[in-house]
Amino acid sequence: MPIFEYKCNACGGKFESLRSVSANDPVICPVCGSDQTTKLFSTFASTGGSDSVQSAGSGCRSGSGFS
């Protein structure tokens, strides 16, 4: 099941919820208990993406002697 991000329209809080894509029941705000919530668009995240790019390029230097 994916994790979705939500914003509560009553209190303005933001939270995440692990939900089935086909779930139809209202999402309840864990802070105020309101069911007036809106699903937010999330950014894609991957583990190790930026670290692997940095470590792969860390050995490259200008003037490395390539002809």
Side-chain angles (χ1 to χ4, degrees), residues 45-66:
S46 66
T47 57
S50 61
D51 291 339
S52 62
V53 171
Q54 289 176 347
S55 63
S58 63
C60 298
R61 293 187 173 38
S62 61
S64 61
F66 289 108

Side-chain angles (χ1 to χ4, degrees), residues 5-9 13 15 27 35-41:
E5 291 181 87
Y6 293 88
K7 179 180 178 186
C8 177
N9 298 325
F15 60 96
V27 178
D35 65 351
Q36 301 300 311
T37 56
T38 303
K39 188 187 296 186
L40 301 175
F41 289 102

Side-chain angles (χ1 to χ4, degrees), residues 7 13 16 29 44 65:
K7 179 180 178 186
E16 296 176 339
C29 175
F44 177 78

